[in-house]
Amino acid sequence: MSLNDTLGMALPILQAPMAGAQGSELAVAVARAGGLGALPCAMLSPLAMAKELTVIRSATSAPININFFCHAPPEPDPAAMARWHEALAPWYAEFGLDIDAVPEGPGRRPFDAAACDAIEPFRPEVVSFHFGLPEAALLERVKGWGAVVLSSATTVAEAEWLEDNGADAIIVQGLEAGGHRGMFLTDELTTQVGSFALLPQVRAAVGVPLIAAGGIADARGVAAARALGADAVQVGTAFLCCPESSISAIHRRALMSEAARHTALTHLYSGRPARGIVTRLMRELGPMSDTAPAFPLATAAIAPLRAAAEALGLGDFSPLWAGQNASRCREVPAAQVIAELAKGL
């Protein structure tokens, strides 16, 4: 059985789940166009998940992918938070903000029993994970309603671990990909390599279907990924400027400007490495800094700076997530993006 048949989609093209950049509208548009639409749930409450899934189920009968993070919430570390606040204090002063009034918040929630309870009545056909897989009992529940389980690998070792621990297919995330790296067996960035180096190595190491992600933005990228052993592709950045996405005008302008040629991995916005367009925060503090607290605790203190700058029309403190290939970022419907990608099949 092909991956298309397994996932129940017309085309072997997946839309990358992009938390904070999209909701049900993009997922529905992709699903109606024959791809696999995705709903990112890492920043949604269980009630919000149910509301979005209700919208999706009322809009299309096509299969859908529901995505979650699998991180372990960090232990409180007041000293680490104090260092982080001290590092950000000069910018707080610049914008007239009170560094002592920073709200505390998790930023992103891992997959748990409450999330599983919220989505189970909808029986999503595909459930995908970032940062590994959930605990065995939760994974068994997901598989119990017949869902296909996907997870991201950024190294051969991670792909082998995922195959051994129950993933039905693996998203092979090359270094070019925008947003959070799915790395979970190591924090060492020297292990992270590009799609063309990683994909054939993973293909030789595991037997489950593979989904290539990172740097794929047009038909030629789709064809190349397939030639290197991918059964399907996952595309994110090319959808960001579609009218169905929910990114800000600031983010849209950056993606369609020269700024998109300058991306870097940074953990300043969340605490884990993620690829985005270089911003003032990344330039002045350095994209990777020892002062950033553990994921996802960095987010709360960045939020007031982001809001203050965006009120002035600036993206200086905004996470402008983007992959290394933003060349196809255009304000066209998601269905058109799917049709153009499909020419590479």
Side-chain angles (χ1 to χ4, degrees):
M1 181 179 290
S2 71
L3 188 60
N4 279 29
D5 294 330
T6 300
L7 299 182
M9 57 191 184
L11 300 169
I13 300 172
L14 289 73
Q15 167 239 314
M18 298 175 285
Q22 57 131 142
S24 56
E25 187 177 1
L26 180 60
V28 168
V30 170
R32 286 176 170 172
L36 184 67
L39 178 69
C41 292
M43 297 172 68
L44 300 181
S45 68
L47 179 59
M49 294 174 203
K51 286 183 176 179
E52 288 281 61
L53 280 166
T54 298
V55 171
I56 291 170
R57 287 306 196 205
S58 66
T60 178
S61 60
I64 198 73
N65 170 23
I66 310 302
N67 178 258
F68 294 94
F69 286 175
C70 288
H71 61 285
E75 294 294 328
D77 188 341
M81 294 306 295
R83 288 193 299 271
W84 183 227
H85 290 182
E86 182 180 1
L88 300 179
W91 294 303
Y92 267 73
E94 177 183 332
F95 286 97
L97 301 172
D98 183 3
I99 191 67
D100 295 321
V102 174
E104 296 299 329
R108 292 163 177 84
R109 58 179 293 141
F111 187 64
D112 56 16
C116 198
D117 290 342
I119 68 169
E120 188 169 6
F122 298 91
R123 298 293 199 272
E125 294 81 2
V126 182
V127 181
S128 63
F129 298 100
H130 222 42
F131 313 137
L133 291 167
E135 62 182 68
L138 288 174
L139 188 62
E140 185 176 351
R141 279 186 64 184
V142 170
K143 290 198 167 194
W145 70 67
V148 175
V149 172
L150 314 179
S151 189
S152 303
T154 67
T155 65
V156 173
E158 287 176 349
E160 292 173 330
W161 187 95
L162 291 173
E163 182 178 43
D164 291 342
N165 286 275
D168 297 309
I170 296 170
I171 300 162
V172 182
Q173 190 189 35
L175 186 57
E176 303 94 334
H180 283 91
R181 305 296 302 151
M183 55 199 304
F184 62 93
L185 290 184
T186 178
D187 295 328
E188 182 52 67
L189 288 177
T190 58
T191 64
Q192 304 296 285
V193 298
S195 295
F196 278 25
L198 180 60
L199 185 56
Q201 293 184 67
V202 174
R203 179 70 290 164
V206 302
V208 296
L210 302 182
I211 300 155
I216 302 168
D218 58 19
R220 292 173 300 174
V222 172
R226 301 267 283 182
L228 288 172
D231 298 277
V233 299
Q234 179 171 279
V235 177
T237 303
F239 288 109
L240 284 175
C241 290
C242 294
E244 298 93 345
S245 90
S246 59
I247 62 172
S248 68
I250 291 170
H251 197 169
R252 288 178 190 273
R253 287 196 301 269
L255 284 163
M256 293 188 288
S257 73
E258 284 295 311
R261 297 183 182 275
H262 303 271
T263 68
L265 292 181
T266 181
H267 64 179
L268 300 180
Y269 288 105
S270 70
R272 271 185 182 260
R275 183 173 295 284
I277 295 171
V278 174
T279 62
R280 178 186 174 191
L281 176 68
M282 294 160 67
R283 288 192 301 270
E284 295 185 6
L285 194 58
M288 304 295 291
S289 169
D290 291 339
T291 58
F295 180 89
L297 300 179
T299 304
I302 294 294
L305 289 172
R306 174 182 180 176
E310 287 187 352
L312 300 175
L314 303 172
D316 292 354
F317 299 91
S318 302
L320 305 177
W321 302 137
Q324 288 184 323
N325 185 1
S327 64
R328 303 302 291 172
C329 280
R330 295 169 297 152
E331 294 180 314
V332 300
Q336 183 173 328
V337 176
I338 291 287
E340 293 178 358
L341 291 167
K343 293 176 183 177
L345 297 174

